[in-house]
Amino acid sequence: CRFILNRVDIIILREEISRRYLKEAGINRPRVFVTADATFSIEPPHYNKDLIRQKLLKAFQDEVGDVMIGITVLGGYFLNRKRHDLLKRYVRSLVSCIDSIVNELNANIIFVPQVVARSEITMMHMIKRLIENKKRVFIINEDLSPEDVMKIIGCMDIFIGTRMHSNIFALIMNVPPVAIAYEHKTYGIMEMLGLENWILDINNINERELISKVRNLHKSLFEIKKNMLEAVYWARAKSLSSAKIVRAFCEASLKN
């Protein structure tokens, strides 16, 4: 690793936790910049939110609720590699949370395919089979473009995301997420935006805490969305600065 780093001129990181890891490893060169995940540089797509939301609600026929909640999951293969008990707790927590919020918030649930992989589609269907009110749950099986995924997420009222980039899509579309963290990047990115209260560690996941976070997020929607706008604007500027850093470095190298 150090041999490779000796041949690198700059390192650009997307959050502060990675910088701390480098520091703890005694790596202080080359020069390190902390910007933001490149996904934040994507502008929200132009779309008719009301039209797409109505199309999504047609999937529920007569079971239309007041709140629409989007969910992304990890595949069982990934979770089972870590611990089999983690896979069971993850599924149980999502099932219990969905059963609870469908009734409490009169919600409709849409599973969004951030990553179209057999294990993740299987996970979505496994969770749906265990849910009591299946009529309130819809799974999108299509392989959608990033723009179409963003449009669908933009129609949600709140979001529960295990896939970090689906959470970033939600942030860009001003949809508050509860982020289930399976790697440190989720903590780093959410903390960077001042959203550390809406993270749940997948290794300690339980239905009680997940339900509580979703419930409290829904209660605080207006305030959170107002603060998110400024935070995402800042993250977009930081993300775009990565290209400026690379350009400045290349120009300086050419001059030398």
Side-chain angles (χ1 to χ4, degrees):
C1 179
R2 291 184 181 276
F3 172 75
I4 294 172
L5 287 171
N6 286 335
R7 304 180 66 177
V8 174
D9 296 296
I10 58 173
I11 296 175
I12 299 176
L13 306 173
R14 58 186 171 183
E15 34 75 25
E16 285 289 345
I17 295 177
S18 294
R19 187 210 288 267
R20 294 204 295 268
Y21 283 164
L22 288 181
K23 186 176 180 179
E24 290 168 5
I27 297 169
N28 49 29
R29 56 187 295 266
R31 191 174 179 187
V32 175
F33 297 88
V34 178
T35 58
D37 192 285
T39 309
F40 282 109
S41 65
I42 301 174
E43 292 283 348
H46 296 288
Y47 71 113
N48 187 327
K49 180 177 178 177
D50 290 335
L51 179 62
I52 294 178
R53 186 177 172 106
Q54 287 304 314
K55 286 182 178 179
L56 290 170
L57 287 173
K58 286 180 179 178
F60 300 99
Q61 299 176 359
D62 297 329
E63 296 287 331
V64 177
D66 300 317
V67 176
M68 190 180 293
I69 299 175
I71 298 179
T72 56
V73 300
L74 276 183
Y77 170 74
F78 179 89
L79 292 167
N80 212 12
R81 279 190 311 172
K82 291 191 168 185
R83 293 198 314 270
H84 184 62
D85 66 304
L86 173 59
L87 171 60
K88 291 192 291 185
R89 281 192 292 108
Y90 178 73
V91 171
R92 185 172 64 245
S93 297
L94 282 171
V95 170
S96 297
C97 180
I98 292 168
D99 280 335
S100 177
I101 59 180
V102 161
N103 294 322
E104 184 177 335
L105 303 181
N106 190 24
N108 292 105
I109 309 297
I110 294 185
F111 282 94
V112 184
Q114 178 73 18
V115 176
V116 181
R118 181 179 298 175
S119 64
E120 297 201 7
I121 297 295
T122 300
M123 175 65 76
M124 295 176 190
H125 285 278
M126 179 195 303
I127 292 169
K128 182 176 180 178
R129 282 197 301 271
L130 297 172
I131 291 167
E132 291 181 6
N133 194 344
K134 295 176 177 58
K135 293 182 179 179
R136 285 292 184 91
V137 179
F138 179 63
I139 297 173
I140 299 176
N141 290 305
E142 299 175 61
D143 187 359
L144 302 173
S145 69
E147 184 178 76
D148 286 337
V149 172
M150 291 178 75
K151 290 176 181 178
I152 290 171
I153 291 176
C155 294
M156 304 298 139
D157 296 294
I158 57 179
F159 196 74
I160 304 170
T162 312
R163 284 290 180 183
M164 185 60 226
H165 286 95
S166 68
N167 290 321
I168 295 178
F169 280 0
L171 291 165
I172 291 171
M173 303 305 290
N174 202 32
V175 176
V178 170
I180 300 173
Y182 64 96
E183 289 182 353
H184 78 270
K185 61 185 178 182
T186 302
Y187 280 98
I189 292 170
M190 293 289 282
E191 288 174 1
M192 179 178 70
L193 297 174
L195 297 169
E196 59 273 9
N197 290 335
W198 309 111
I199 309 169
L200 185 62
D201 191 332
I202 197 168
N203 293 297
N204 302 315
I205 193 167
N206 62 80
E207 54 263 46
R208 179 185 55 78
E209 188 175 3
L210 180 57
I211 292 168
S212 175
K213 284 191 181 292
V214 173
R215 181 186 294 133
N216 291 332
L217 182 71
H218 183 258
K219 289 179 181 177
S220 310
L221 273 182
F222 179 78
E223 182 182 354
I224 295 169
K225 290 180 79 166
K226 182 178 65 176
N227 295 332
M228 272 173 49
L229 282 171
E230 184 177 349
V232 172
Y233 180 82
W234 174 84
R236 180 173 292 117
K238 293 285 286 184
S239 177
L240 292 171
S241 71
S242 298
K244 295 177 181 178
I245 292 168
V246 173
R247 179 174 179 174
F249 173 79
C250 290
E251 289 176 348
S253 297
L254 288 172
K255 287 180 181 178
N256 294 333

